[in-house]
Amino acid sequence: MTPIDFVVSLALISVAAGVLGSLIGLGGGVVIVPVLTLLYHVDIRLAIGASIVSVIATSSGAAAAYVRERMTNLRAGMFLELATTTGALSGAYLTTLLPTRFLFAFFGLVLAYSSFATFRRRHYAEPLTVSNDRLANYFNLHGSYYDPAEQREISYKVVGTKPGLALMYLAGLVSALLGIGSGALKVPAMDSAMHLPMKVSSATSNFMIGVTAAASAGVYFIRGQIDPIIAAPVAIGVLVGATFGARLLGRVKSRTIRLVFVVVLVVISLEMLQKGFFP
Amino acid sequence: MTDMQEPAGRPQPLLHGTQAPSPVPPPAPTTEQSPLSGRRRQLSPEEAAIMEAKIRRTEVAISLVLRIGVIVSVLIITVGLVVMFAHHSAYLPITGGTSYHNLTSPTTPFPHSFTALGHSIAAGEGQGIIVLGVMILVLTPVIRVAVGVLAFLNEKDVPMALVTFIVLVVLVGSFFLAQG
């Protein structure tokens, strides 16, 4: 395979990664890392560098549309970024302290539980109408969005800000420690703990993952993990895909988004459990 | 249906609307705490309308920043790719020739410090231009957070502006810590 074949084929796969990543709020890394390591036999360190680029590309590409359509809860997203960025920063310094195997096993279990919790909520279609959460009321994190699939405006209230913040800290930590997209924990945190509607959880996670990834991108650049010939097709492909994905989210049913998310989360957690228990 | 129903699609103006009318007389207006603990002062309808417009402006501004960042970085990365293939005609054949493995191994040389990046761009290398485009992509969320601080200040929402400012400090700090 020559460089031009590599660039063109990787860009096409990245389009698919961008569509999926923007729909379920995980970013393109979920697809990019396995594709690069298993299909193209690229070194895992360079694959993780490309994954960071793809996460930022999905985030900015899709969020431009989600924010304008008010699918993203801007205030909740920016509020929770407090926890994700500090988590990402502390994670960058804990990398050498904790054994990776233990981390994979631990987060594999956390994600397995998260996927179960997300799946269990599939019948809860109606959002909350009251909230006694002090933080959510003080910062006015509640919101509403127009759902094109249901053709109506949906107002919702936010609860569980404290467990939400704790999970977001963990999400930032895990993305810095293991290089996985932090969306895998962000969506369940917003959906299960904070009771945001599924589409809003996905769009807000999408909005936030770019900032979390940007917090560790500097480290990856200095360590030489961002290879331009990999990053270029990934960035362009994912941006194109995320633009399409962002048009799709509104039209698809919340339930479908939830089920696709659960399937992807189960795959990720199995992958992590395997790395933790049978490396 | 005899009871008045809120038309769907209208945001609830006040959160108090969710309280069910109770048969017992309402408590005297003493220091009774609102059921919405932690909520700040209620806005009058006119204030709420102005607020709505400001929030809308914030959304449009943030969306615009993201869009510009994305478009600029895609253009620069594309230019970088074109320059790279123009300089290295050996990369272009569809079969045979060089393998991509030479360019994607851990020993592949490419700029990964700011000085090396500067030299690479000055020399007109495609790789350097691509990395510059990727940098702009990475900086887009950071600029988005900075715009968020300004937007919340414009909404006169000091707590949110403060939260966003702390996020910005942590983000910028992470870039400097990465260097050291």
Side-chain angles (χ1 to χ4, degrees), chain A residues 91-126:
Chain A
Y93 291 91
L94 288 174
T95 342
T96 46
L97 289 177
L98 295 163
T100 323
R101 239 190 102 176
F102 163 77
L103 287 172
F104 273 121
F106 177 68
F107 285 114
L109 291 173
V110 171
L111 291 187
Y113 176 74
S114 304
S115 52
F116 170 69
T118 312
F119 181 68
R120 207 177 40 184
R121 272 178 54 77
R122 69 197 179 283
H123 299 302
Y124 294 85
E126 282 308 306

mmCIF file of all heavy atoms in Angstrom, chain A residues 91-126:
data_model
loop_
_atom_site.group_PDB
_atom_site.id
_atom_site.type_symbol
_atom_site.label_atom_id
_atom_site.label_comp_id
_atom_site.label_asym_id
_atom_site.label_seq_id
_atom_site.Cartn_x
_atom_site.Cartn_y
_atom_site.Cartn_z
ATOM 1 N N GLY A 91 -4.922 13.263 35.447
ATOM 2 C CA GLY A 91 -4.621 11.982 34.819
ATOM 3 C C GLY A 91 -3.256 11.969 34.158
ATOM 4 O O GLY A 91 -2.531 10.977 34.217
ATOM 5 N N ALA A 92 -2.894 13.100 33.526
ATOM 6 C CA ALA A 92 -1.617 13.177 32.835
ATOM 7 C C ALA A 92 -0.446 12.931 33.800
ATOM 8 O O ALA A 92 0.626 12.481 33.389
ATOM 9 C CB ALA A 92 -1.462 14.527 32.165
ATOM 10 N N TYR A 93 -0.655 13.202 35.094
ATOM 11 C CA TYR A 93 0.432 13.021 36.057
ATOM 12 C C TYR A 93 0.333 11.730 36.828
ATOM 13 O O TYR A 93 1.244 11.368 37.551
ATOM 14 C CB TYR A 93 0.501 14.230 36.990
ATOM 15 C CG TYR A 93 0.966 15.397 36.186
ATOM 16 C CD1 TYR A 93 0.060 16.237 35.560
ATOM 17 C CD2 TYR A 93 2.324 15.582 35.942
ATOM 18 C CE1 TYR A 93 0.479 17.253 34.743
ATOM 19 C CE2 TYR A 93 2.753 16.590 35.122
ATOM 20 C CZ TYR A 93 1.824 17.421 34.525
ATOM 21 O OH TYR A 93 2.255 18.398 33.697
ATOM 22 N N LEU A 94 -0.783 11.018 36.680
ATOM 23 C CA LEU A 94 -0.956 9.745 37.386
ATOM 24 C C LEU A 94 -0.542 8.562 36.516
ATOM 25 O O LEU A 94 -0.408 7.444 37.008
ATOM 26 C CB LEU A 94 -2.417 9.568 37.815
ATOM 27 C CG LEU A 94 -2.898 10.464 38.959
ATOM 28 C CD1 LEU A 94 -4.384 10.278 39.167
ATOM 29 C CD2 LEU A 94 -2.146 10.149 40.238
ATOM 30 N N THR A 95 -0.343 8.833 35.221
ATOM 31 C CA THR A 95 -0.074 7.748 34.278
ATOM 32 C C THR A 95 0.981 6.790 34.794
ATOM 33 O O THR A 95 0.852 5.579 34.663
ATOM 34 C CB THR A 95 0.420 8.295 32.924
ATOM 35 O OG1 THR A 95 0.082 9.651 32.848
ATOM 36 C CG2 THR A 95 -0.164 7.521 31.793
ATOM 37 N N THR A 96 2.066 7.326 35.353
ATOM 38 C CA THR A 96 3.180 6.472 35.747
ATOM 39 C C THR A 96 2.924 5.782 37.085
ATOM 40 O O THR A 96 3.607 4.830 37.421
ATOM 41 C CB THR A 96 4.467 7.307 35.842
ATOM 42 O OG1 THR A 96 4.159 8.495 36.560
ATOM 43 C CG2 THR A 96 4.979 7.647 34.464
ATOM 44 N N LEU A 97 1.942 6.273 37.848
ATOM 45 C CA LEU A 97 1.733 5.759 39.202
ATOM 46 C C LEU A 97 0.908 4.475 39.245
ATOM 47 O O LEU A 97 1.159 3.604 40.069
ATOM 48 C CB LEU A 97 1.047 6.824 40.070
ATOM 49 C CG LEU A 97 1.910 8.023 40.440
ATOM 50 C CD1 LEU A 97 1.102 9.026 41.242
ATOM 51 C CD2 LEU A 97 3.132 7.586 41.238
ATOM 52 N N LEU A 98 -0.101 4.396 38.372
ATOM 53 C CA LEU A 98 -1.016 3.265 38.454
ATOM 54 C C LEU A 98 -0.733 2.266 37.331
ATOM 55 O O LEU A 98 -0.492 2.666 36.195
ATOM 56 C CB LEU A 98 -2.463 3.759 38.354
ATOM 57 C CG LEU A 98 -2.930 4.637 39.514
ATOM 58 C CD1 LEU A 98 -4.182 5.394 39.126
ATOM 59 C CD2 LEU A 98 -3.180 3.803 40.751
ATOM 60 N N PRO A 99 -0.768 0.953 37.662
ATOM 61 C CA PRO A 99 -0.545 -0.055 36.616
ATOM 62 C C PRO A 99 -1.687 -0.035 35.600
ATOM 63 O O PRO A 99 -2.862 -0.037 35.966
ATOM 64 C CB PRO A 99 -0.503 -1.374 37.386
ATOM 65 C CG PRO A 99 -1.190 -1.104 38.678
ATOM 66 C CD PRO A 99 -0.996 0.351 38.982
ATOM 67 N N THR A 100 -1.318 0.004 34.310
ATOM 68 C CA THR A 100 -2.314 0.108 33.240
ATOM 69 C C THR A 100 -3.310 -1.048 33.270
ATOM 70 O O THR A 100 -4.495 -0.855 33.019
ATOM 71 C CB THR A 100 -1.611 0.138 31.869
ATOM 72 O OG1 THR A 100 -0.416 0.874 32.016
ATOM 73 C CG2 THR A 100 -2.463 0.792 30.829
ATOM 74 N N ARG A 101 -2.799 -2.253 33.591
ATOM 75 C CA ARG A 101 -3.677 -3.430 33.596
ATOM 76 C C ARG A 101 -4.822 -3.260 34.569
ATOM 77 O O ARG A 101 -5.974 -3.547 34.251
ATOM 78 C CB ARG A 101 -2.855 -4.660 33.989
ATOM 79 C CG ARG A 101 -2.883 -5.725 32.937
ATOM 80 C CD ARG A 101 -2.276 -6.988 33.458
ATOM 81 N NE ARG A 101 -3.313 -7.941 33.826
ATOM 82 C CZ ARG A 101 -3.044 -9.173 34.248
ATOM 83 N NH1 ARG A 101 -1.801 -9.568 34.383
ATOM 84 N NH2 ARG A 101 -4.028 -9.994 34.543
ATOM 85 N N PHE A 102 -4.486 -2.773 35.758
ATOM 86 C CA PHE A 102 -5.507 -2.545 36.775
ATOM 87 C C PHE A 102 -6.517 -1.511 36.281
ATOM 88 O O PHE A 102 -7.725 -1.674 36.443
ATOM 89 C CB PHE A 102 -4.839 -2.076 38.071
ATOM 90 C CG PHE A 102 -5.790 -1.446 39.041
ATOM 91 C CD1 PHE A 102 -6.639 -2.230 39.802
ATOM 92 C CD2 PHE A 102 -5.851 -0.059 39.180
ATOM 93 C CE1 PHE A 102 -7.525 -1.655 40.683
ATOM 94 C CE2 PHE A 102 -6.738 0.521 40.059
ATOM 95 C CZ PHE A 102 -7.579 -0.276 40.815
ATOM 96 N N LEU A 103 -6.000 -0.434 35.642
ATOM 97 C CA LEU A 103 -6.883 0.618 35.136
ATOM 98 C C LEU A 103 -7.868 0.084 34.108
ATOM 99 O O LEU A 103 -9.057 0.390 34.144
ATOM 100 C CB LEU A 103 -6.059 1.738 34.510
ATOM 101 C CG LEU A 103 -5.306 2.636 35.480
ATOM 102 C CD1 LEU A 103 -4.381 3.557 34.726
ATOM 103 C CD2 LEU A 103 -6.296 3.440 36.308
ATOM 104 N N PHE A 104 -7.348 -0.737 33.183
ATOM 105 C CA PHE A 104 -8.226 -1.300 32.156
ATOM 106 C C PHE A 104 -9.300 -2.164 32.789
ATOM 107 O O PHE A 104 -10.475 -2.072 32.419
ATOM 108 C CB PHE A 104 -7.409 -2.118 31.143
ATOM 109 C CG PHE A 104 -6.852 -1.286 30.031
ATOM 110 C CD1 PHE A 104 -5.482 -1.213 29.794
ATOM 111 C CD2 PHE A 104 -7.701 -0.564 29.210
ATOM 112 C CE1 PHE A 104 -4.980 -0.435 28.774
ATOM 113 C CE2 PHE A 104 -7.197 0.219 28.183
ATOM 114 C CZ PHE A 104 -5.829 0.275 27.965
ATOM 115 N N ALA A 105 -8.910 -3.005 33.746
ATOM 116 C CA ALA A 105 -9.883 -3.875 34.398
ATOM 117 C C ALA A 105 -10.936 -3.037 35.117
ATOM 118 O O ALA A 105 -12.143 -3.258 34.980
ATOM 119 C CB ALA A 105 -9.169 -4.793 35.379
ATOM 120 N N PHE A 106 -10.467 -2.022 35.871
ATOM 121 C CA PHE A 106 -11.384 -1.191 36.642
ATOM 122 C C PHE A 106 -12.366 -0.447 35.740
ATOM 123 O O PHE A 106 -13.582 -0.509 35.923
ATOM 124 C CB PHE A 106 -10.589 -0.204 37.499
ATOM 125 C CG PHE A 106 -11.445 0.739 38.282
ATOM 126 C CD1 PHE A 106 -12.231 0.286 39.329
ATOM 127 C CD2 PHE A 106 -11.477 2.094 37.968
ATOM 128 C CE1 PHE A 106 -13.025 1.160 40.052
ATOM 129 C CE2 PHE A 106 -12.273 2.977 38.688
ATOM 130 C CZ PHE A 106 -13.048 2.499 39.729
ATOM 131 N N PHE A 107 -11.839 0.231 34.716
ATOM 132 C CA PHE A 107 -12.722 1.016 33.858
ATOM 133 C C PHE A 107 -13.561 0.127 32.951
ATOM 134 O O PHE A 107 -14.654 0.507 32.558
ATOM 135 C CB PHE A 107 -11.936 2.057 33.073
ATOM 136 C CG PHE A 107 -11.523 3.195 33.942
ATOM 137 C CD1 PHE A 107 -10.194 3.433 34.228
ATOM 138 C CD2 PHE A 107 -12.474 4.002 34.531
ATOM 139 C CE1 PHE A 107 -9.818 4.468 35.068
ATOM 140 C CE2 PHE A 107 -12.110 5.029 35.364
ATOM 141 C CZ PHE A 107 -10.785 5.269 35.632
ATOM 142 N N GLY A 108 -13.069 -1.081 32.656
ATOM 143 C CA GLY A 108 -13.873 -2.042 31.918
ATOM 144 C C GLY A 108 -15.144 -2.352 32.690
ATOM 145 O O GLY A 108 -16.247 -2.380 32.140
ATOM 146 N N LEU A 109 -14.979 -2.551 34.017
ATOM 147 C CA LEU A 109 -16.134 -2.834 34.872
ATOM 148 C C LEU A 109 -17.046 -1.613 34.966
ATOM 149 O O LEU A 109 -18.271 -1.735 34.887
ATOM 150 C CB LEU A 109 -15.660 -3.254 36.273
ATOM 151 C CG LEU A 109 -14.967 -4.618 36.348
ATOM 152 C CD1 LEU A 109 -14.391 -4.863 37.737
ATOM 153 C CD2 LEU A 109 -15.947 -5.731 35.984
ATOM 154 N N VAL A 110 -16.450 -0.419 35.123
ATOM 155 C CA VAL A 110 -17.252 0.809 35.206
ATOM 156 C C VAL A 110 -18.098 0.968 33.942
ATOM 157 O O VAL A 110 -19.298 1.246 34.012
ATOM 158 C CB VAL A 110 -16.343 2.049 35.402
ATOM 159 C CG1 VAL A 110 -17.146 3.338 35.260
ATOM 160 C CG2 VAL A 110 -15.663 2.002 36.765
ATOM 161 N N LEU A 111 -17.477 0.745 32.781
ATOM 162 C CA LEU A 111 -18.206 0.920 31.522
ATOM 163 C C LEU A 111 -19.258 -0.161 31.332
ATOM 164 O O LEU A 111 -20.337 0.107 30.791
ATOM 165 C CB LEU A 111 -17.236 0.929 30.339
ATOM 166 C CG LEU A 111 -16.331 2.150 30.246
ATOM 167 C CD1 LEU A 111 -15.545 2.118 28.957
ATOM 168 C CD2 LEU A 111 -17.140 3.438 30.326
ATOM 169 N N ALA A 112 -18.964 -1.385 31.809
ATOM 170 C CA ALA A 112 -19.954 -2.454 31.705
ATOM 171 C C ALA A 112 -21.192 -2.071 32.511
ATOM 172 O O ALA A 112 -22.321 -2.201 32.028
ATOM 173 C CB ALA A 112 -19.371 -3.769 32.223
ATOM 174 N N TYR A 113 -20.968 -1.532 33.707
ATOM 175 C CA TYR A 113 -22.109 -1.088 34.511
ATOM 176 C C TYR A 113 -22.833 0.080 33.827
ATOM 177 O O TYR A 113 -24.066 0.112 33.784
ATOM 178 C CB TYR A 113 -21.672 -0.685 35.922
ATOM 179 C CG TYR A 113 -22.843 -0.140 36.697
ATOM 180 C CD1 TYR A 113 -23.837 -0.992 37.178
ATOM 181 C CD2 TYR A 113 -23.000 1.237 36.886
ATOM 182 C CE1 TYR A 113 -24.935 -0.490 37.840
ATOM 183 C CE2 TYR A 113 -24.109 1.746 37.543
ATOM 184 C CZ TYR A 113 -25.075 0.879 38.014
ATOM 185 O OH TYR A 113 -26.176 1.376 38.646
ATOM 186 N N SER A 114 -22.056 1.041 33.284
ATOM 187 C CA SER A 114 -22.662 2.199 32.611
ATOM 188 C C SER A 114 -23.548 1.768 31.459
ATOM 189 O O SER A 114 -24.628 2.335 31.254
ATOM 190 C CB SER A 114 -21.585 3.135 32.052
ATOM 191 O OG SER A 114 -20.730 3.528 33.054
ATOM 192 N N SER A 115 -23.086 0.782 30.685
ATOM 193 C CA SER A 115 -23.886 0.364 29.534
ATOM 194 C C SER A 115 -25.175 -0.271 30.027
ATOM 195 O O SER A 115 -26.244 -0.068 29.440
ATOM 196 C CB SER A 115 -23.109 -0.586 28.622
ATOM 197 O OG SER A 115 -22.589 -1.649 29.367
ATOM 198 N N PHE A 116 -25.086 -1.019 31.140
ATOM 199 C CA PHE A 116 -26.283 -1.620 31.718
ATOM 200 C C PHE A 116 -27.242 -0.522 32.197
ATOM 201 O O PHE A 116 -28.443 -0.555 31.905
ATOM 202 C CB PHE A 116 -25.888 -2.535 32.881
ATOM 203 C CG PHE A 116 -27.049 -3.014 33.696
ATOM 204 C CD1 PHE A 116 -27.969 -3.905 33.154
ATOM 205 C CD2 PHE A 116 -27.230 -2.582 34.996
ATOM 206 C CE1 PHE A 116 -29.040 -4.350 33.899
ATOM 207 C CE2 PHE A 116 -28.301 -3.027 35.748
ATOM 208 C CZ PHE A 116 -29.217 -3.909 35.207
ATOM 209 N N ALA A 117 -26.701 0.489 32.905
ATOM 210 C CA ALA A 117 -27.533 1.575 33.426
ATOM 211 C C ALA A 117 -28.195 2.344 32.285
ATOM 212 O O ALA A 117 -29.365 2.728 32.371
ATOM 213 C CB ALA A 117 -26.686 2.514 34.277
ATOM 214 N N THR A 118 -27.460 2.570 31.193
ATOM 215 C CA THR A 118 -28.013 3.288 30.051
ATOM 216 C C THR A 118 -29.106 2.466 29.377
ATOM 217 O O THR A 118 -30.144 2.993 28.984
ATOM 218 C CB THR A 118 -26.898 3.614 29.042
ATOM 219 O OG1 THR A 118 -25.804 4.178 29.753
ATOM 220 C CG2 THR A 118 -27.362 4.593 27.999
ATOM 221 N N PHE A 119 -28.875 1.170 29.280
ATOM 222 C CA PHE A 119 -29.857 0.285 28.647
ATOM 223 C C PHE A 119 -31.141 0.242 29.475
ATOM 224 O O PHE A 119 -32.245 0.281 28.930
ATOM 225 C CB PHE A 119 -29.275 -1.125 28.515
ATOM 226 C CG PHE A 119 -30.201 -2.104 27.852
ATOM 227 C CD1 PHE A 119 -30.514 -1.977 26.504
ATOM 228 C CD2 PHE A 119 -30.774 -3.151 28.568
ATOM 229 C CE1 PHE A 119 -31.375 -2.862 25.883
ATOM 230 C CE2 PHE A 119 -31.634 -4.041 27.946
ATOM 231 C CZ PHE A 119 -31.929 -3.902 26.607
ATOM 232 N N ARG A 120 -30.988 0.196 30.810
ATOM 233 C CA ARG A 120 -32.133 0.083 31.705
ATOM 234 C C ARG A 120 -33.061 1.290 31.578
ATOM 235 O O ARG A 120 -34.254 1.198 31.801
ATOM 236 C CB ARG A 120 -31.619 -0.018 33.138
ATOM 237 C CG ARG A 120 -32.534 -0.750 34.077
ATOM 238 C CD ARG A 120 -31.903 -0.845 35.435
ATOM 239 N NE ARG A 120 -31.214 0.400 35.787
ATOM 240 C CZ ARG A 120 -30.508 0.548 36.896
ATOM 241 N NH1 ARG A 120 -30.372 -0.444 37.731
ATOM 242 N NH2 ARG A 120 -29.921 1.715 37.162
ATOM 243 N N ARG A 121 -32.478 2.450 31.222
ATOM 244 C CA ARG A 121 -33.288 3.666 31.136
ATOM 245 C C ARG A 121 -34.025 3.813 29.802
ATOM 246 O O ARG A 121 -34.575 4.871 29.523
ATOM 247 C CB ARG A 121 -32.395 4.891 31.377
ATOM 248 C CG ARG A 121 -32.287 5.250 32.847
ATOM 249 C CD ARG A 121 -31.373 6.434 33.057
ATOM 250 N NE ARG A 121 -31.740 7.599 32.261
ATOM 251 C CZ ARG A 121 -32.735 8.415 32.545
ATOM 252 N NH1 ARG A 121 -33.433 8.230 33.619
ATOM 253 N NH2 ARG A 121 -33.002 9.439 31.781
ATOM 254 N N ARG A 122 -34.017 2.753 28.988
ATOM 255 C CA ARG A 122 -34.572 2.903 27.628
ATOM 256 C C ARG A 122 -36.063 3.215 27.610
ATOM 257 O O ARG A 122 -36.584 3.732 26.649
ATOM 258 C CB ARG A 122 -34.292 1.644 26.792
ATOM 259 C CG ARG A 122 -35.058 0.411 27.241
ATOM 260 C CD ARG A 122 -34.427 -0.845 26.659
ATOM 261 N NE ARG A 122 -35.128 -2.043 27.091
ATOM 262 C CZ ARG A 122 -34.993 -2.593 28.290
ATOM 263 N NH1 ARG A 122 -34.190 -2.044 29.184
ATOM 264 N NH2 ARG A 122 -35.643 -3.689 28.608
ATOM 265 N N HIS A 123 -36.794 2.880 28.712
ATOM 266 C CA HIS A 123 -38.238 3.162 28.720
ATOM 267 C C HIS A 123 -38.565 4.550 29.262
ATOM 268 O O HIS A 123 -39.679 5.002 29.155
ATOM 269 C CB HIS A 123 -38.970 2.106 29.538
ATOM 270 C CG HIS A 123 -38.797 0.732 28.986
ATOM 271 N ND1 HIS A 123 -39.166 0.401 27.702
ATOM 272 C CD2 HIS A 123 -38.240 -0.393 29.513
ATOM 273 C CE1 HIS A 123 -38.863 -0.876 27.469
ATOM 274 N NE2 HIS A 123 -38.296 -1.364 28.549
ATOM 275 N N TYR A 124 -37.579 5.184 29.869
ATOM 276 C CA TYR A 124 -37.820 6.514 30.434
ATOM 277 C C TYR A 124 -37.688 7.562 29.338
ATOM 278 O O TYR A 124 -36.643 8.163 29.181
ATOM 279 C CB TYR A 124 -36.821 6.823 31.554
ATOM 280 C CG TYR A 124 -36.969 5.955 32.766
ATOM 281 C CD1 TYR A 124 -36.348 4.713 32.829
ATOM 282 C CD2 TYR A 124 -37.706 6.389 33.865
ATOM 283 C CE1 TYR A 124 -36.473 3.905 33.945
ATOM 284 C CE2 TYR A 124 -37.840 5.578 34.978
ATOM 285 C CZ TYR A 124 -37.226 4.335 35.017
ATOM 286 O OH TYR A 124 -37.354 3.551 36.115
ATOM 287 N N ALA A 125 -38.757 7.753 28.608
ATOM 288 C CA ALA A 125 -38.663 8.692 27.489
ATOM 289 C C ALA A 125 -38.913 10.122 27.949
ATOM 290 O O ALA A 125 -38.367 11.066 27.401
ATOM 291 C CB ALA A 125 -39.657 8.313 26.410
ATOM 292 N N GLU A 126 -39.754 10.290 28.994
ATOM 293 C CA GLU A 126 -40.131 11.638 29.407
ATOM 294 C C GLU A 126 -39.114 12.248 30.361
ATOM 295 O O GLU A 126 -38.720 11.623 31.349
ATOM 296 C CB GLU A 126 -41.517 11.614 30.082
ATOM 297 C CG GLU A 126 -42.658 11.516 29.094
ATOM 298 C CD GLU A 126 -42.585 12.582 28.009
ATOM 299 O OE1 GLU A 126 -42.491 13.782 28.332
ATOM 300 O OE2 GLU A 126 -42.603 12.214 26.820
#
